[in-house]
Amino acid sequence: YEVVAVVSHFSDTQSRNNRELEVAAIAKEHNIPLFIPHKPSEIIDELRAFKADVAVLAAYGRIVSQAIIDLFPLGIINIHPSLLPQYRGPTPIESAILNGDSETGVSIMQLSAGMDEGPVYAQRKISLEGTESKFELYTRVVDMTSSLFFDTFSRIIDHSITATPQSNEGISYSKLIHKQDGIIDWNLPAVTIDRQIRAYEGWPQSRTTLNGLDIIITKAHVASG
């Protein structure tokens, strides 16, 4: 496939080590135009000029309007790391850990203007052991998604697969996670705190105060009894 452009999420923040945005480095290496707008609507004319057949969305973190979706004859194909309609929204991986789920998965779907409400082309499940951290589960999801996506994408392009509307049953939404969520409430059950520490790995991190010192807890386990 010919990739005509890359659009990435704009951020005012910089990491401590000023790492270059990985997708920017890949775009530069292959001479692909890169756009990092505050909002996708800012570059609608530029996107229209490419006359691309289809777009692919992964971890973009911004609402995409119907006007943008309509630029592409085959729409926008979204990779969402949950078994839709479960955990629509921004934090499906963290939600699966926080709720102690026995399985999660990934959905390849047709993007719609509603939050993760579009029809689904394909899904694949992942069994959970109940010990996964956010980064561990993210890595498993990414590894599994590659083969599922490219197999599904080729079938979308040649029109040999159609998307199925999501069920109206079992709909749930994941919520935004805030820095305040990382402050440990020691009145909660140990199982709940363990899940939070695993789900909040990296950010917002799980924090507490011990003997007057601010502490970040990165790993924990529930003691028997």
Side-chain angles (χ1 to χ4, degrees):
Y1 308 106
E2 177 189 3
V3 180
V4 296
V6 171
V7 180
S8 186
H9 177 145
F10 177 87
S11 175
D12 289 312
T13 61
Q14 288 185 317
S15 63
R16 290 180 182 176
N17 58 5
N18 289 320
R19 277 175 48 207
E20 183 179 10
L21 186 68
E22 286 93 342
V23 74
I26 293 170
K28 182 178 179 180
E29 178 184 353
H30 295 279
N31 297 313
I32 301 170
L34 173 68
F35 299 90
I36 310 181
H38 286 80
K39 298 183 296 184
S41 59
E42 296 175 352
I43 58 168
I44 189 168
D45 291 335
E46 290 89 339
L47 294 178
R48 182 183 291 111
F50 286 114
K51 298 181 179 179
D53 297 307
V54 64
V56 176
L57 187 77
Y60 185 64
R62 289 285 189 274
I63 295 295
V64 178
S65 69
Q66 191 64 47
I68 297 290
I69 296 172
D70 290 342
L71 294 177
F72 308 98
L74 293 176
I76 299 179
I77 311 306
N78 185 29
I79 301 169
H80 187 77
S82 81
L83 297 173
L84 292 170
Q86 186 181 43
Y87 300 145
R88 295 172 177 173
T91 57
I93 289 179
E94 293 91 335
S95 296
I97 295 173
L98 289 170
N99 291 326
D101 293 348
S102 60
E103 68 177 16
T104 187
V106 65
S107 301
I108 310 297
M109 61 174 292
Q110 184 83 39
L111 192 69
S112 68
M115 182 181 288
D116 300 317
E117 296 176 3
V120 175
Y121 287 104
Q123 292 184 322
R124 188 169 292 173
K125 295 181 179 180
I126 299 175
S127 296
L128 301 179
E129 297 178 0
T131 59
E132 295 86 358
S133 69
K134 176 170 64 179
F135 293 154
E136 289 170 345
L137 182 52
Y138 176 81
T139 299
R140 288 183 62 193
V141 168
V142 169
D143 290 345
M144 182 189 71
T145 299
S146 296
S147 61
L148 176 64
F149 170 75
F150 284 110
D151 174 64
T152 306
F153 188 67
S154 65
R155 297 168 65 196
I156 294 171
I157 296 300
D158 67 16
H159 303 281
S160 64
I161 189 175
T162 56
T164 302
Q166 294 184 37
S167 172
N168 291 323
E169 298 180 0
I171 296 173
S172 62
Y173 290 88
S174 60
K175 64 181 182 68
L176 283 172
I177 293 173
H178 303 282
K179 187 174 182 180
Q180 189 72 14
D181 295 328
I183 299 175
I184 298 174
D185 178 359
W186 295 106
N187 294 310
L188 295 173
V191 170
T192 301
I193 296 173
D194 169 59
R195 291 173 182 171
Q196 290 177 344
I197 291 169
R198 290 186 284 112
Y200 296 156
E201 181 183 30
W203 194 89
Q205 300 182 314
S206 294
R207 307 183 306 280
T208 191
T209 301
L210 183 64
N211 294 330
L213 295 175
D214 293 330
I215 303 293
I216 295 173
I217 298 178
T218 60
K219 290 187 183 297
H221 69 275
V222 179
S224 59

mmCIF file of all heavy atoms in Angstrom, residues 38-73:
data_model
loop_
_atom_site.group_PDB
_atom_site.id
_atom_site.type_symbol
_atom_site.label_atom_id
_atom_site.label_comp_id
_atom_site.label_asym_id
_atom_site.label_seq_id
_atom_site.Cartn_x
_atom_site.Cartn_y
_atom_site.Cartn_z
ATOM 1 N N HIS A 38 -3.319 20.664 15.874
ATOM 2 C CA HIS A 38 -4.052 20.672 17.142
ATOM 3 C C HIS A 38 -5.364 19.901 16.991
ATOM 4 O O HIS A 38 -5.769 19.169 17.891
ATOM 5 C CB HIS A 38 -4.340 22.103 17.591
ATOM 6 C CG HIS A 38 -3.160 22.840 18.119
ATOM 7 N ND1 HIS A 38 -2.222 23.422 17.305
ATOM 8 C CD2 HIS A 38 -2.751 23.059 19.389
ATOM 9 C CE1 HIS A 38 -1.299 24.001 18.047
ATOM 10 N NE2 HIS A 38 -1.590 23.796 19.318
ATOM 11 N N LYS A 39 -6.038 20.071 15.849
ATOM 12 C CA LYS A 39 -7.287 19.375 15.545
ATOM 13 C C LYS A 39 -7.230 18.910 14.093
ATOM 14 O O LYS A 39 -6.713 19.612 13.229
ATOM 15 C CB LYS A 39 -8.486 20.299 15.752
ATOM 16 C CG LYS A 39 -8.689 20.808 17.154
ATOM 17 C CD LYS A 39 -9.939 21.648 17.280
ATOM 18 C CE LYS A 39 -9.840 22.918 16.452
ATOM 19 N NZ LYS A 39 -11.029 23.802 16.634
ATOM 20 N N PRO A 40 -7.774 17.721 13.798
ATOM 21 C CA PRO A 40 -7.765 17.237 12.406
ATOM 22 C C PRO A 40 -8.440 18.194 11.433
ATOM 23 O O PRO A 40 -8.041 18.277 10.269
ATOM 24 C CB PRO A 40 -8.527 15.909 12.497
ATOM 25 C CG PRO A 40 -8.397 15.479 13.915
ATOM 26 C CD PRO A 40 -8.354 16.743 14.729
ATOM 27 N N SER A 41 -9.427 18.948 11.909
ATOM 28 C CA SER A 41 -10.147 19.859 11.010
ATOM 29 C C SER A 41 -9.247 20.945 10.448
ATOM 30 O O SER A 41 -9.555 21.542 9.413
ATOM 31 C CB SER A 41 -11.326 20.494 11.756
ATOM 32 O OG SER A 41 -10.882 21.206 12.907
ATOM 33 N N GLU A 42 -8.119 21.206 11.104
ATOM 34 C CA GLU A 42 -7.193 22.236 10.628
ATOM 35 C C GLU A 42 -6.526 21.853 9.308
ATOM 36 O O GLU A 42 -6.042 22.723 8.587
ATOM 37 C CB GLU A 42 -6.118 22.504 11.678
ATOM 38 C CG GLU A 42 -6.628 23.073 12.981
ATOM 39 C CD GLU A 42 -5.541 23.208 14.027
ATOM 40 O OE1 GLU A 42 -4.410 22.719 13.783
ATOM 41 O OE2 GLU A 42 -5.817 23.779 15.088
ATOM 42 N N ILE A 43 -6.485 20.572 9.006
ATOM 43 C CA ILE A 43 -5.774 20.123 7.804
ATOM 44 C C ILE A 43 -6.715 19.414 6.835
ATOM 45 O O ILE A 43 -6.274 18.614 6.008
ATOM 46 C CB ILE A 43 -4.594 19.203 8.165
ATOM 47 C CG1 ILE A 43 -5.093 17.976 8.967
ATOM 48 C CG2 ILE A 43 -3.521 19.948 8.932
ATOM 49 C CD1 ILE A 43 -4.051 16.883 9.102
ATOM 50 N N ILE A 44 -8.002 19.715 6.910
ATOM 51 C CA ILE A 44 -8.965 18.991 6.067
ATOM 52 C C ILE A 44 -8.685 19.217 4.578
ATOM 53 O O ILE A 44 -8.806 18.281 3.777
ATOM 54 C CB ILE A 44 -10.414 19.379 6.436
ATOM 55 C CG1 ILE A 44 -11.411 18.453 5.718
ATOM 56 C CG2 ILE A 44 -10.684 20.856 6.137
ATOM 57 C CD1 ILE A 44 -12.827 18.585 6.257
ATOM 58 N N ASP A 45 -8.268 20.416 4.189
ATOM 59 C CA ASP A 45 -7.988 20.673 2.776
ATOM 60 C C ASP A 45 -6.766 19.892 2.302
ATOM 61 O O ASP A 45 -6.752 19.365 1.187
ATOM 62 C CB ASP A 45 -7.771 22.167 2.542
ATOM 63 C CG ASP A 45 -9.043 22.975 2.718
ATOM 64 O OD1 ASP A 45 -10.137 22.389 2.555
ATOM 65 O OD2 ASP A 45 -8.948 24.176 3.041
ATOM 66 N N GLU A 46 -5.740 19.820 3.165
ATOM 67 C CA GLU A 46 -4.543 19.054 2.819
ATOM 68 C C GLU A 46 -4.864 17.563 2.676
ATOM 69 O O GLU A 46 -4.409 16.905 1.730
ATOM 70 C CB GLU A 46 -3.449 19.255 3.862
ATOM 71 C CG GLU A 46 -2.832 20.642 3.869
ATOM 72 C CD GLU A 46 -3.584 21.608 4.781
ATOM 73 O OE1 GLU A 46 -4.776 21.341 5.079
ATOM 74 O OE2 GLU A 46 -2.972 22.619 5.180
ATOM 75 N N LEU A 47 -5.685 17.053 3.582
ATOM 76 C CA LEU A 47 -6.054 15.638 3.505
ATOM 77 C C LEU A 47 -6.886 15.361 2.258
ATOM 78 O O LEU A 47 -6.711 14.333 1.600
ATOM 79 C CB LEU A 47 -6.818 15.226 4.766
ATOM 80 C CG LEU A 47 -6.041 15.257 6.080
ATOM 81 C CD1 LEU A 47 -6.946 14.865 7.238
ATOM 82 C CD2 LEU A 47 -4.833 14.325 6.025
ATOM 83 N N ARG A 48 -7.788 16.247 1.944
ATOM 84 C CA ARG A 48 -8.633 16.070 0.760
ATOM 85 C C ARG A 48 -7.774 16.019 -0.511
ATOM 86 O O ARG A 48 -8.056 15.245 -1.437
ATOM 87 C CB ARG A 48 -9.647 17.202 0.667
ATOM 88 C CG ARG A 48 -10.598 17.070 -0.527
ATOM 89 C CD ARG A 48 -11.544 18.237 -0.642
ATOM 90 N NE ARG A 48 -12.518 18.264 0.443
ATOM 91 C CZ ARG A 48 -12.530 19.177 1.413
ATOM 92 N NH1 ARG A 48 -11.605 20.136 1.436
ATOM 93 N NH2 ARG A 48 -13.445 19.143 2.359
ATOM 94 N N ALA A 49 -6.728 16.803 -0.548
ATOM 95 C CA ALA A 49 -5.887 16.884 -1.746
ATOM 96 C C ALA A 49 -5.170 15.571 -2.038
ATOM 97 O O ALA A 49 -4.823 15.299 -3.192
ATOM 98 C CB ALA A 49 -4.870 18.017 -1.589
ATOM 99 N N PHE A 50 -4.936 14.746 -1.032
ATOM 100 C CA PHE A 50 -4.252 13.468 -1.259
ATOM 101 C C PHE A 50 -5.132 12.460 -2.001
ATOM 102 O O PHE A 50 -4.629 11.520 -2.606
ATOM 103 C CB PHE A 50 -3.800 12.859 0.077
ATOM 104 C CG PHE A 50 -2.628 13.554 0.690
ATOM 105 C CD1 PHE A 50 -2.773 14.246 1.881
ATOM 106 C CD2 PHE A 50 -1.384 13.515 0.090
ATOM 107 C CE1 PHE A 50 -1.694 14.887 2.464
ATOM 108 C CE2 PHE A 50 -0.295 14.155 0.657
ATOM 109 C CZ PHE A 50 -0.450 14.846 1.847
ATOM 110 N N LYS A 51 -6.450 12.624 -1.908
ATOM 111 C CA LYS A 51 -7.401 11.720 -2.555
ATOM 112 C C LYS A 51 -7.133 10.264 -2.166
ATOM 113 O O LYS A 51 -7.163 9.361 -3.007
ATOM 114 C CB LYS A 51 -7.363 11.889 -4.078
ATOM 115 C CG LYS A 51 -7.764 13.286 -4.540
ATOM 116 C CD LYS A 51 -7.747 13.414 -6.059
ATOM 117 C CE LYS A 51 -8.173 14.810 -6.484
ATOM 118 N NZ LYS A 51 -8.150 14.965 -7.967
ATOM 119 N N ALA A 52 -6.884 10.050 -0.897
ATOM 120 C CA ALA A 52 -6.600 8.699 -0.400
ATOM 121 C C ALA A 52 -7.877 7.873 -0.350
ATOM 122 O O ALA A 52 -8.975 8.406 -0.143
ATOM 123 C CB ALA A 52 -5.969 8.773 0.988
ATOM 124 N N ASP A 53 -7.739 6.570 -0.554
ATOM 125 C CA ASP A 53 -8.897 5.672 -0.534
ATOM 126 C C ASP A 53 -9.382 5.385 0.881
ATOM 127 O O ASP A 53 -10.579 5.175 1.115
ATOM 128 C CB ASP A 53 -8.543 4.343 -1.209
ATOM 129 C CG ASP A 53 -8.189 4.530 -2.670
ATOM 130 O OD1 ASP A 53 -9.004 5.133 -3.393
ATOM 131 O OD2 ASP A 53 -7.108 4.086 -3.082
ATOM 132 N N VAL A 54 -8.451 5.324 1.829
ATOM 133 C CA VAL A 54 -8.789 4.860 3.168
ATOM 134 C C VAL A 54 -7.779 5.432 4.150
ATOM 135 O O VAL A 54 -6.651 5.774 3.772
ATOM 136 C CB VAL A 54 -8.779 3.306 3.220
ATOM 137 C CG1 VAL A 54 -7.390 2.755 2.957
ATOM 138 C CG2 VAL A 54 -9.342 2.771 4.527
ATOM 139 N N ALA A 55 -8.188 5.572 5.411
ATOM 140 C CA ALA A 55 -7.280 5.989 6.484
ATOM 141 C C ALA A 55 -7.324 4.941 7.589
ATOM 142 O O ALA A 55 -8.301 4.192 7.716
ATOM 143 C CB ALA A 55 -7.670 7.357 7.028
ATOM 144 N N VAL A 56 -6.263 4.894 8.365
ATOM 145 C CA VAL A 56 -6.159 3.966 9.492
ATOM 146 C C VAL A 56 -5.899 4.778 10.749
ATOM 147 O O VAL A 56 -5.031 5.657 10.765
ATOM 148 C CB VAL A 56 -5.023 2.941 9.275
ATOM 149 C CG1 VAL A 56 -4.879 2.043 10.497
ATOM 150 C CG2 VAL A 56 -5.282 2.126 8.025
ATOM 151 N N LEU A 57 -6.647 4.480 11.791
ATOM 152 C CA LEU A 57 -6.538 5.214 13.056
ATOM 153 C C LEU A 57 -6.094 4.270 14.160
ATOM 154 O O LEU A 57 -6.670 3.189 14.326
ATOM 155 C CB LEU A 57 -7.902 5.820 13.415
ATOM 156 C CG LEU A 57 -7.944 6.751 14.617
ATOM 157 C CD1 LEU A 57 -7.375 8.112 14.252
ATOM 158 C CD2 LEU A 57 -9.380 6.910 15.108
ATOM 159 N N ALA A 58 -5.072 4.687 14.923
ATOM 160 C CA ALA A 58 -4.620 3.878 16.063
ATOM 161 C C ALA A 58 -4.125 4.814 17.159
ATOM 162 O O ALA A 58 -3.212 5.610 16.929
ATOM 163 C CB ALA A 58 -3.504 2.923 15.644
ATOM 164 N N ALA A 59 -4.759 4.751 18.325
ATOM 165 C CA ALA A 59 -4.312 5.492 19.512
ATOM 166 C C ALA A 59 -4.140 6.983 19.237
ATOM 167 O O ALA A 59 -3.178 7.593 19.683
ATOM 168 C CB ALA A 59 -3.003 4.890 20.039
ATOM 169 N N TYR A 60 -5.077 7.563 18.501
ATOM 170 C CA TYR A 60 -4.949 8.971 18.138
ATOM 171 C C TYR A 60 -5.345 9.902 19.288
ATOM 172 O O TYR A 60 -4.752 10.956 19.481
ATOM 173 C CB TYR A 60 -5.778 9.270 16.887
ATOM 174 C CG TYR A 60 -5.602 10.677 16.371
ATOM 175 C CD1 TYR A 60 -4.369 11.113 15.904
ATOM 176 C CD2 TYR A 60 -6.668 11.572 16.370
ATOM 177 C CE1 TYR A 60 -4.195 12.411 15.439
ATOM 178 C CE2 TYR A 60 -6.512 12.870 15.902
ATOM 179 C CZ TYR A 60 -5.274 13.276 15.438
ATOM 180 O OH TYR A 60 -5.099 14.558 14.973
ATOM 181 N N GLY A 61 -6.370 9.542 20.031
ATOM 182 C CA GLY A 61 -6.728 10.315 21.211
ATOM 183 C C GLY A 61 -7.470 11.607 20.949
ATOM 184 O O GLY A 61 -7.494 12.509 21.794
ATOM 185 N N ARG A 62 -8.048 11.741 19.772
ATOM 186 C CA ARG A 62 -8.836 12.922 19.443
ATOM 187 C C ARG A 62 -10.124 12.484 18.737
ATOM 188 O O ARG A 62 -10.134 11.482 18.030
ATOM 189 C CB ARG A 62 -8.066 13.857 18.501
ATOM 190 C CG ARG A 62 -6.895 14.593 19.140
ATOM 191 C CD ARG A 62 -7.385 15.721 20.034
ATOM 192 N NE ARG A 62 -6.288 16.570 20.499
ATOM 193 C CZ ARG A 62 -5.554 16.321 21.568
ATOM 194 N NH1 ARG A 62 -5.768 15.221 22.271
ATOM 195 N NH2 ARG A 62 -4.592 17.163 21.946
ATOM 196 N N ILE A 63 -11.197 13.254 18.918
ATOM 197 C CA ILE A 63 -12.427 12.989 18.197
ATOM 198 C C ILE A 63 -12.230 13.356 16.726
ATOM 199 O O ILE A 63 -11.710 14.430 16.407
ATOM 200 C CB ILE A 63 -13.595 13.804 18.789
ATOM 201 C CG1 ILE A 63 -13.888 13.346 20.227
ATOM 202 C CG2 ILE A 63 -14.832 13.671 17.918
ATOM 203 C CD1 ILE A 63 -14.379 11.923 20.335
ATOM 204 N N VAL A 64 -12.630 12.465 15.843
ATOM 205 C CA VAL A 64 -12.523 12.702 14.402
ATOM 206 C C VAL A 64 -13.924 12.960 13.868
ATOM 207 O O VAL A 64 -14.826 12.137 14.035
ATOM 208 C CB VAL A 64 -11.887 11.497 13.688
ATOM 209 C CG1 VAL A 64 -11.815 11.738 12.188
ATOM 210 C CG2 VAL A 64 -10.492 11.226 14.249
ATOM 211 N N SER A 65 -14.101 14.095 13.233
ATOM 212 C CA SER A 65 -15.429 14.502 12.783
ATOM 213 C C SER A 65 -15.870 13.701 11.558
ATOM 214 O O SER A 65 -15.045 13.121 10.841
ATOM 215 C CB SER A 65 -15.436 15.990 12.439
ATOM 216 O OG SER A 65 -14.658 16.225 11.270
ATOM 217 N N GLN A 66 -17.182 13.718 11.310
ATOM 218 C CA GLN A 66 -17.715 13.032 10.134
ATOM 219 C C GLN A 66 -17.170 13.652 8.850
ATOM 220 O O GLN A 66 -16.981 12.950 7.845
ATOM 221 C CB GLN A 66 -19.245 13.109 10.146
ATOM 222 C CG GLN A 66 -19.916 12.218 9.121
ATOM 223 C CD GLN A 66 -19.667 10.742 9.380
ATOM 224 O OE1 GLN A 66 -19.800 10.272 10.511
ATOM 225 N NE2 GLN A 66 -19.292 10.001 8.345
ATOM 226 N N ALA A 67 -16.881 14.941 8.881
ATOM 227 C CA ALA A 67 -16.330 15.598 7.693
ATOM 228 C C ALA A 67 -14.976 15.007 7.310
ATOM 229 O O ALA A 67 -14.666 14.867 6.117
ATOM 230 C CB ALA A 67 -16.195 17.097 7.944
ATOM 231 N N ILE A 68 -14.171 14.648 8.287
ATOM 232 C CA ILE A 68 -12.878 14.000 8.018
ATOM 233 C C ILE A 68 -13.102 12.573 7.527
ATOM 234 O O ILE A 68 -12.492 12.129 6.551
ATOM 235 C CB ILE A 68 -11.992 14.009 9.268
ATOM 236 C CG1 ILE A 68 -11.661 15.440 9.700
ATOM 237 C CG2 ILE A 68 -10.714 13.204 9.022
ATOM 238 C CD1 ILE A 68 -10.729 16.182 8.792
ATOM 239 N N ILE A 69 -13.986 11.849 8.187
ATOM 240 C CA ILE A 69 -14.260 10.458 7.802
ATOM 241 C C ILE A 69 -14.731 10.395 6.352
ATOM 242 O O ILE A 69 -14.326 9.515 5.581
ATOM 243 C CB ILE A 69 -15.321 9.841 8.745
ATOM 244 C CG1 ILE A 69 -14.786 9.774 10.175
ATOM 245 C CG2 ILE A 69 -15.726 8.449 8.261
ATOM 246 C CD1 ILE A 69 -15.828 9.365 11.204
ATOM 247 N N ASP A 70 -15.560 11.361 5.964
ATOM 248 C CA ASP A 70 -16.145 11.356 4.622
ATOM 249 C C ASP A 70 -15.131 11.655 3.519
ATOM 250 O O ASP A 70 -15.454 11.508 2.331
ATOM 251 C CB ASP A 70 -17.286 12.369 4.550
ATOM 252 C CG ASP A 70 -18.501 11.939 5.372
ATOM 253 O OD1 ASP A 70 -18.587 10.745 5.704
ATOM 254 O OD2 ASP A 70 -19.339 12.804 5.673
ATOM 255 N N LEU A 71 -13.920 12.061 3.867
ATOM 256 C CA LEU A 71 -12.896 12.300 2.851
ATOM 257 C C LEU A 71 -12.443 11.009 2.168
ATOM 258 O O LEU A 71 -11.920 11.040 1.055
ATOM 259 C CB LEU A 71 -11.662 12.970 3.479
ATOM 260 C CG LEU A 71 -11.829 14.382 4.030
ATOM 261 C CD1 LEU A 71 -10.521 14.827 4.672
ATOM 262 C CD2 LEU A 71 -12.241 15.347 2.932
ATOM 263 N N PHE A 72 -12.668 9.866 2.840
ATOM 264 C CA PHE A 72 -12.104 8.603 2.376
ATOM 265 C C PHE A 72 -13.218 7.668 1.900
ATOM 266 O O PHE A 72 -14.108 7.319 2.687
ATOM 267 C CB PHE A 72 -11.300 7.941 3.505
ATOM 268 C CG PHE A 72 -10.282 8.866 4.117
ATOM 269 C CD1 PHE A 72 -10.558 9.535 5.297
ATOM 270 C CD2 PHE A 72 -9.072 9.083 3.495
ATOM 271 C CE1 PHE A 72 -9.633 10.402 5.858
ATOM 272 C CE2 PHE A 72 -8.126 9.945 4.042
ATOM 273 C CZ PHE A 72 -8.414 10.609 5.226
ATOM 274 N N PRO A 73 -13.182 7.247 0.630
ATOM 275 C CA PRO A 73 -14.236 6.375 0.095
ATOM 276 C C PRO A 73 -14.461 5.111 0.927
ATOM 277 O O PRO A 73 -15.590 4.651 1.065
ATOM 278 C CB PRO A 73 -13.721 6.042 -1.314
ATOM 279 C CG PRO A 73 -12.871 7.200 -1.687
ATOM 280 C CD PRO A 73 -12.207 7.639 -0.416
#
